[in-house]
Amino acid sequence: MVILDGKKTSSKILAEVKNRVSTMNIVPHLAVILVGENPASIIYVNNKKKAAEQVGIKSTIIKMEKDITEQYLLDEIAELNNDNTVTGILVQLPLPEHINKNNIITAISPQKDVDGFHPENVGKLVSGIEPYFYPATPQGILMLTDEYNIPLEGKHAVVIGRSNIVGKPMGQMLLKRNATVTMCHSYTNNLDEIIKTADLVVSAVGKKIVRCKMVRKNSVVIDVGIFKDSNGKLTGDVDFDIVSPSCGFITPVPGGVGPMTIASLMYNASKVYP
Ligand code: GUN
Protein backbone atom coordinates (compact mmCIF):
# COMPACT_ATOMS: atom_id res chain seq x y z
CA MET A 1 0.00 0.00 0.00
CA VAL A 2 1.31 3.44 -0.98
CA ILE A 3 0.32 6.63 0.83
CA LEU A 4 -0.45 9.41 -1.65
CA ASP A 5 1.52 12.30 -0.20
CA GLY A 6 -0.54 15.42 -0.79
CA LYS A 7 1.83 17.62 1.17
CA LYS A 8 4.87 16.73 -0.89
CA THR A 9 2.99 16.89 -4.20
CA SER A 10 1.39 20.23 -3.34
CA SER A 11 4.84 21.70 -2.54
CA LYS A 12 6.00 20.61 -5.97
CA ILE A 13 2.98 22.17 -7.70
CA LEU A 14 3.29 25.38 -5.68
CA ALA A 15 6.95 25.63 -6.72
CA GLU A 16 5.90 25.26 -10.37
CA VAL A 17 3.22 27.94 -9.97
CA LYS A 18 5.70 30.27 -8.26
CA ASN A 19 8.09 29.79 -11.13
CA ARG A 20 5.42 30.56 -13.69
CA VAL A 21 4.17 33.64 -11.82
CA SER A 22 7.73 35.00 -11.64
CA THR A 23 7.91 35.02 -15.45
CA MET A 24 4.53 36.76 -15.96
CA ASN A 25 4.38 40.40 -16.88
CA ILE A 26 1.53 41.07 -14.47
CA VAL A 27 1.05 40.03 -10.85
CA PRO A 28 -2.13 37.94 -10.52
CA HIS A 29 -4.46 39.31 -7.87
CA LEU A 30 -6.93 37.05 -6.08
CA ALA A 31 -9.83 38.70 -4.23
CA VAL A 32 -11.35 36.46 -1.54
CA ILE A 33 -14.69 37.43 -0.03
CA LEU A 34 -15.51 36.09 3.42
CA VAL A 35 -19.01 36.72 4.79
CA GLY A 36 -19.52 36.16 8.51
CA GLU A 37 -17.30 34.27 10.91
CA ASN A 38 -17.61 30.57 10.16
CA PRO A 39 -14.51 29.20 11.98
CA ALA A 40 -13.65 26.66 9.25
CA SER A 41 -14.05 29.32 6.53
CA ILE A 42 -11.70 31.69 8.39
CA ILE A 43 -9.03 28.94 8.47
CA TYR A 44 -9.54 28.09 4.76
CA VAL A 45 -9.36 31.74 3.69
CA ASN A 46 -6.20 32.37 5.73
CA ASN A 47 -4.60 29.25 4.22
CA LYS A 48 -5.42 30.54 0.73
CA LYS A 49 -3.84 33.90 1.54
CA LYS A 50 -0.70 32.21 2.91
CA ALA A 51 -0.36 30.02 -0.19
CA ALA A 52 -0.86 33.02 -2.49
CA GLU A 53 1.93 34.91 -0.70
CA GLN A 54 4.18 31.87 -1.03
CA VAL A 55 3.83 31.80 -4.84
CA GLY A 56 3.92 35.54 -5.48
CA ILE A 57 0.21 36.02 -6.12
CA LYS A 58 -1.32 39.13 -4.59
CA SER A 59 -4.37 38.40 -2.46
CA THR A 60 -6.93 40.55 -0.73
CA ILE A 61 -9.39 39.24 1.82
CA ILE A 62 -12.61 41.22 1.83
CA LYS A 63 -14.47 40.60 5.09
CA MET A 64 -18.18 41.30 5.37
CA GLU A 65 -20.63 41.12 8.28
CA LYS A 66 -22.94 38.11 8.24
CA ASP A 67 -26.06 40.28 7.97
CA ILE A 68 -25.12 42.15 4.76
CA THR A 69 -27.73 42.10 2.01
CA GLU A 70 -27.40 39.98 -1.11
CA GLN A 71 -27.36 43.21 -3.15
CA TYR A 72 -24.39 44.54 -1.17
CA LEU A 73 -22.42 41.40 -2.04
CA LEU A 74 -23.53 41.57 -5.69
CA ASP A 75 -22.36 45.21 -5.89
CA GLU A 76 -18.95 44.27 -4.49
CA ILE A 77 -18.62 41.45 -7.06
CA ALA A 78 -19.58 43.84 -9.88
CA GLU A 79 -16.83 46.18 -8.74
CA LEU A 80 -14.26 43.37 -8.68
CA ASN A 81 -15.41 42.15 -12.12
CA ASN A 82 -14.74 45.65 -13.50
CA ASP A 83 -11.41 46.08 -11.74
CA ASN A 84 -8.68 45.22 -14.25
CA THR A 85 -6.11 44.74 -11.47
CA VAL A 86 -8.18 41.86 -9.99
CA THR A 87 -7.64 38.63 -11.95
CA GLY A 88 -9.43 36.12 -9.70
CA ILE A 89 -12.52 36.26 -7.46
CA LEU A 90 -13.52 33.70 -4.85
CA VAL A 91 -16.51 33.89 -2.53
CA GLN A 92 -15.94 31.50 0.36
CA LEU A 93 -18.85 29.12 0.94
CA PRO A 94 -21.05 28.52 2.84
CA LEU A 95 -22.87 31.88 2.75
CA PRO A 96 -25.50 32.95 5.31
CA GLU A 97 -28.91 31.47 4.51
CA HIS A 98 -30.55 34.75 3.48
CA ILE A 99 -28.11 35.08 0.56
CA ASN A 100 -28.87 33.05 -2.57
CA LYS A 101 -25.62 31.25 -3.30
CA ASN A 102 -26.51 30.65 -6.96
CA ASN A 103 -27.10 34.36 -7.60
CA ILE A 104 -23.65 35.10 -6.17
CA ILE A 105 -21.81 32.41 -8.12
CA THR A 106 -23.51 33.49 -11.35
CA ALA A 107 -22.52 37.14 -10.78
CA ILE A 108 -18.77 36.40 -10.84
CA SER A 109 -17.13 36.89 -14.23
CA PRO A 110 -16.45 33.38 -15.65
CA GLN A 111 -12.93 34.56 -16.60
CA LYS A 112 -12.21 35.39 -12.93
CA ASP A 113 -14.09 32.42 -11.43
CA VAL A 114 -11.04 30.60 -9.95
CA ASP A 115 -13.41 28.12 -8.20
CA GLY A 116 -14.89 27.03 -11.55
CA PHE A 117 -18.40 27.20 -10.04
CA HIS A 118 -20.01 29.62 -12.52
CA PRO A 119 -22.68 27.89 -14.72
CA GLU A 120 -20.68 28.87 -17.81
CA ASN A 121 -17.61 27.02 -16.52
CA VAL A 122 -19.71 24.07 -15.28
CA GLY A 123 -21.59 23.93 -18.60
CA LYS A 124 -18.36 23.99 -20.57
CA LEU A 125 -16.93 21.16 -18.47
CA VAL A 126 -20.04 19.02 -19.04
CA SER A 127 -20.18 19.90 -22.77
CA GLY A 128 -16.57 18.99 -23.44
CA ILE A 129 -15.56 22.63 -24.03
CA GLU A 130 -12.46 23.83 -22.19
CA PRO A 131 -13.69 25.86 -19.16
CA TYR A 132 -11.72 28.87 -17.96
CA PHE A 133 -11.20 27.07 -14.64
CA TYR A 134 -11.74 23.56 -13.25
CA PRO A 135 -12.92 23.27 -9.62
CA ALA A 136 -9.89 23.13 -7.34
CA THR A 137 -10.54 19.96 -5.34
CA PRO A 138 -11.20 17.53 -8.22
CA GLN A 139 -8.41 19.14 -10.25
CA GLY A 140 -6.06 18.73 -7.26
CA ILE A 141 -7.06 15.06 -6.90
CA LEU A 142 -6.16 14.42 -10.55
CA MET A 143 -2.84 16.28 -10.08
CA LEU A 144 -2.15 13.84 -7.22
CA THR A 145 -3.06 10.65 -9.13
CA ASP A 146 -1.07 11.92 -12.13
CA GLU A 147 1.96 12.51 -9.91
CA TYR A 148 1.84 8.81 -8.95
CA ASN A 149 1.20 7.79 -12.60
CA ILE A 150 -2.09 6.14 -11.69
CA PRO A 151 -3.96 5.18 -14.89
CA LEU A 152 -7.65 6.15 -15.05
CA GLU A 153 -8.70 5.17 -18.57
CA GLY A 154 -11.19 2.29 -18.55
CA LYS A 155 -11.10 2.09 -14.75
CA HIS A 156 -14.19 1.93 -12.56
CA ALA A 157 -14.29 5.15 -10.54
CA VAL A 158 -16.80 5.35 -7.69
CA VAL A 159 -17.52 8.90 -6.52
CA ILE A 160 -19.37 9.20 -3.20
CA GLY A 161 -21.06 12.58 -2.73
CA ARG A 162 -22.77 14.75 -5.35
CA SER A 163 -21.89 18.29 -4.29
CA ASN A 164 -21.26 21.02 -6.86
CA ILE A 165 -17.86 21.63 -5.25
CA VAL A 166 -16.45 18.10 -5.40
CA GLY A 167 -18.64 15.14 -6.38
CA LYS A 168 -20.31 16.38 -9.58
CA PRO A 169 -17.21 17.98 -11.16
CA MET A 170 -15.10 14.99 -10.06
CA GLY A 171 -17.45 12.66 -11.95
CA GLN A 172 -17.27 14.84 -15.07
CA MET A 173 -13.49 15.14 -14.94
CA LEU A 174 -13.09 11.36 -14.52
CA LEU A 175 -15.40 10.80 -17.51
CA LYS A 176 -13.13 13.13 -19.48
CA ARG A 177 -10.23 10.84 -18.53
CA ASN A 178 -12.22 7.87 -19.94
CA ALA A 179 -13.01 6.30 -16.58
CA THR A 180 -16.30 4.46 -16.04
CA VAL A 181 -17.97 6.55 -13.37
CA THR A 182 -20.53 5.52 -10.76
CA MET A 183 -21.98 8.41 -8.75
CA CYS A 184 -23.09 7.43 -5.24
CA HIS A 185 -24.76 9.49 -2.54
CA SER A 186 -26.81 9.24 0.64
CA TYR A 187 -29.69 7.43 -1.14
CA THR A 188 -27.48 4.79 -2.81
CA ASN A 189 -28.40 1.20 -1.98
CA ASN A 190 -25.66 -1.38 -1.30
CA LEU A 191 -22.85 1.20 -1.21
CA ASP A 192 -20.33 -1.32 0.17
CA GLU A 193 -20.99 -3.70 -2.74
CA ILE A 194 -20.33 -0.87 -5.22
CA ILE A 195 -17.16 0.24 -3.41
CA LYS A 196 -15.82 -3.33 -3.65
CA THR A 197 -15.98 -3.14 -7.48
CA ALA A 198 -14.08 0.18 -7.66
CA ASP A 199 -10.59 0.71 -9.04
CA LEU A 200 -10.79 4.27 -7.69
CA VAL A 201 -12.92 5.55 -4.81
CA VAL A 202 -13.32 9.29 -4.19
CA SER A 203 -15.31 9.98 -1.04
CA ALA A 204 -16.54 13.51 -0.33
CA VAL A 205 -19.33 13.17 2.20
CA GLY A 206 -18.11 14.42 5.59
CA LYS A 207 -19.08 11.22 7.43
CA LYS A 208 -17.21 8.00 8.19
CA ILE A 209 -18.74 6.14 5.24
CA VAL A 210 -15.97 4.05 3.60
CA ARG A 211 -15.30 1.28 6.06
CA CYS A 212 -15.50 -1.97 4.12
CA LYS A 213 -12.72 -4.47 4.73
CA MET A 214 -12.09 -5.84 1.29
CA VAL A 215 -11.73 -3.14 -1.33
CA ARG A 216 -10.27 -4.26 -4.66
CA LYS A 217 -6.56 -5.11 -4.55
CA ASN A 218 -4.50 -2.22 -6.00
CA SER A 219 -7.53 0.12 -5.78
CA VAL A 220 -6.97 3.82 -5.16
CA VAL A 221 -8.82 5.43 -2.24
CA ILE A 222 -9.12 9.22 -2.13
CA ASP A 223 -10.52 10.75 1.05
CA VAL A 224 -11.87 14.28 0.62
CA GLY A 225 -13.67 14.37 3.97
CA ILE A 226 -12.19 16.29 6.86
CA PHE A 227 -13.94 16.70 10.20
CA LYS A 228 -13.34 16.17 13.90
CA ASP A 229 -14.25 12.82 15.47
CA SER A 230 -15.81 12.47 18.94
CA ASN A 231 -12.34 12.85 20.51
CA GLY A 232 -11.71 16.10 18.62
CA LYS A 233 -9.18 14.45 16.29
CA LEU A 234 -9.15 15.38 12.58
CA THR A 235 -10.40 12.49 10.46
CA GLY A 236 -11.90 11.71 7.05
CA ASP A 237 -14.63 9.64 5.33
CA VAL A 238 -12.42 6.57 5.12
CA ASP A 239 -11.66 4.25 8.02
CA PHE A 240 -7.94 4.17 7.29
CA ASP A 241 -7.12 1.19 9.54
CA ILE A 242 -9.82 -1.01 7.98
CA VAL A 243 -9.40 0.01 4.34
CA SER A 244 -5.66 0.63 3.92
CA PRO A 245 -4.40 -2.99 4.24
CA SER A 246 -6.31 -4.14 1.15
CA CYS A 247 -5.97 -1.13 -1.20
CA GLY A 248 -3.07 -0.09 -3.45
CA PHE A 249 -2.98 3.67 -2.81
CA ILE A 250 -4.66 5.83 -0.19
CA THR A 251 -4.65 9.49 0.85
CA PRO A 252 -4.06 10.37 4.51
CA VAL A 253 -6.21 12.87 6.43
CA PRO A 254 -4.77 15.39 7.02
CA GLY A 255 -2.00 15.70 4.41
CA GLY A 256 -3.79 14.27 1.38
CA VAL A 257 -6.48 16.12 -0.55
CA GLY A 258 -6.41 19.30 1.59
CA PRO A 259 -2.97 20.56 0.51
CA MET A 260 -3.73 19.51 -3.09
CA THR A 261 -6.86 21.69 -3.12
CA ILE A 262 -4.78 24.71 -2.11
CA ALA A 263 -2.08 24.01 -4.71
CA SER A 264 -4.72 23.49 -7.39
CA LEU A 265 -6.44 26.74 -6.43
CA MET A 266 -3.12 28.60 -6.71
CA TYR A 267 -2.64 27.04 -10.14
CA ASN A 268 -6.03 28.51 -11.07
CA ALA A 269 -5.26 31.86 -9.47
CA SER A 270 -2.10 32.11 -11.58
CA LYS A 271 -4.16 31.93 -14.78
CA VAL A 272 -4.98 35.39 -16.11
CA TYR A 273 -7.52 36.06 -18.86
CA PRO A 274 -7.47 39.35 -20.73
N1 GUN B 1 -16.09 26.00 0.81
C1 GUN B 1 -15.64 24.71 0.88
N2 GUN B 1 -14.91 24.43 -0.22
C2 GUN B 1 -14.88 25.55 -0.98
C3 GUN B 1 -14.29 25.86 -2.23
O1 GUN B 1 -13.63 25.04 -2.89
N3 GUN B 1 -14.49 27.13 -2.69
C4 GUN B 1 -15.23 28.04 -2.00
N4 GUN B 1 -15.37 29.24 -2.55
N5 GUN B 1 -15.81 27.78 -0.84
C5 GUN B 1 -15.63 26.53 -0.34
Side-chain angles (χ1 to χ4, degrees):
M1 182 269 296
V2 173
I3 300 219
L4 295 168
D5 190 338
K7 246 180 133 172
K8 192 169 115 201
T9 308
S10 78
S11 296
K12 189 178 156 186
I13 306 250
L14 288 170
E16 286 166 11
V17 171
K18 181 177 182 178
N19 216 344
R20 195 153 66 101
V21 169
S22 71
T23 66
M24 292 168 70
N25 49 16
I26 74 163
V27 177
H29 179 188
L30 174 65
V32 178
I33 300 179
L34 174 64
V35 184
E37 284 169 3
N38 180 314
S41 291
I42 292 172
I43 293 171
Y44 291 146
V45 163
N46 287 334
N47 286 342
K48 289 168 189 181
K49 184 168 176 64
K50 234 186 280 168
E53 268 164 22
Q54 197 187 325
V55 299
I57 293 174
K58 182 180 174 190
S59 68
T60 305
I61 300 177
I62 301 161
K63 290 184 180 152
M64 296 181 180
E65 303 285 334
K66 66 173 188 309
D67 55 4
I68 53 151
T69 64
E70 184 174 313
Q71 191 56 48
Y72 183 84
L73 182 49
L74 289 170
D75 290 345
E76 179 65 37
I77 291 169
E79 223 169 273
L80 296 169
N81 284 341
N82 290 327
D83 183 341
N84 289 332
T85 68
V86 171
T87 55
I89 303 169
L90 182 156
V91 178
Q92 187 65 30
L93 303 175
L95 287 168
E97 270 181 25
H98 68 279
I99 297 177
N100 183 324
K101 172 183 75 174
N102 290 332
N103 292 346
I104 301 306
I105 289 169
T106 308
I108 297 171
S109 159
Q111 284 96 333
K112 296 188 182 185
D113 169 38
V114 290
D115 268 325
F117 295 163
H118 189 285
E120 182 174 330
N121 284 320
V122 177
K124 283 181 161 165
L125 170 59
V126 176
S127 309
I129 303 168
E130 192 65 18
Y132 295 108
F133 299 97
Y134 291 93
T137 300
Q139 175 173 260
I141 289 168
L142 294 182
M143 286 170 166
L144 187 59
T145 56
D146 286 347
E147 177 67 18
Y148 286 81
N149 295 311
I150 293 167
L152 298 171
E153 188 161 289
K155 302 296 182 188
H156 183 206
V158 172
V159 178
I160 312 169
R162 51 176 158 175
S163 71
N164 291 340
I165 296 179
V166 185
K168 278 191 250 176
M170 186 80 258
Q172 289 298 329
M173 290 169 77
L174 286 165
L175 278 177
K176 223 173 152 209
R177 295 290 195 98
N178 297 327
T180 302
V181 178
T182 301
M183 296 294 303
C184 300
H185 44 77
S186 52
Y187 288 78
T188 299
N189 291 332
N190 304 320
L191 180 63
D192 279 5
E193 295 312 308
I194 298 169
I195 291 172
K196 285 179 189 171
T197 69
D199 299 303
L200 170 73
V201 179
V202 178
S203 186
V205 176
K207 274 188 208 151
K208 198 58 82 199
I209 195 163
V210 181
R211 50 196 339 165
C212 53
K213 236 183 194 124
M214 292 307 293
V215 293
R216 202 177 253 185
K217 197 167 160 261
N218 296 326
S219 62
V220 181
V221 180
I222 308 285
D223 192 345
V224 185
I226 187 153
F227 51 94
K228 284 191 178 148
D229 69 12
S230 52
N231 301 318
K233 185 173 167 262
L234 272 186
T235 188
D237 292 2
V238 178
D239 192 318
F240 191 90
D241 295 340
I242 291 179
V243 175
S244 61
S246 62
C247 70
F249 298 85
I250 191 164
T251 59
V253 174
V257 173
M260 290 310 299
T261 296
I262 292 272
S264 165
L265 178 70
M266 291 304 122
Y267 171 80
N268 282 353
S270 73
K271 284 213 240 175
V272 171
Y273 292 98

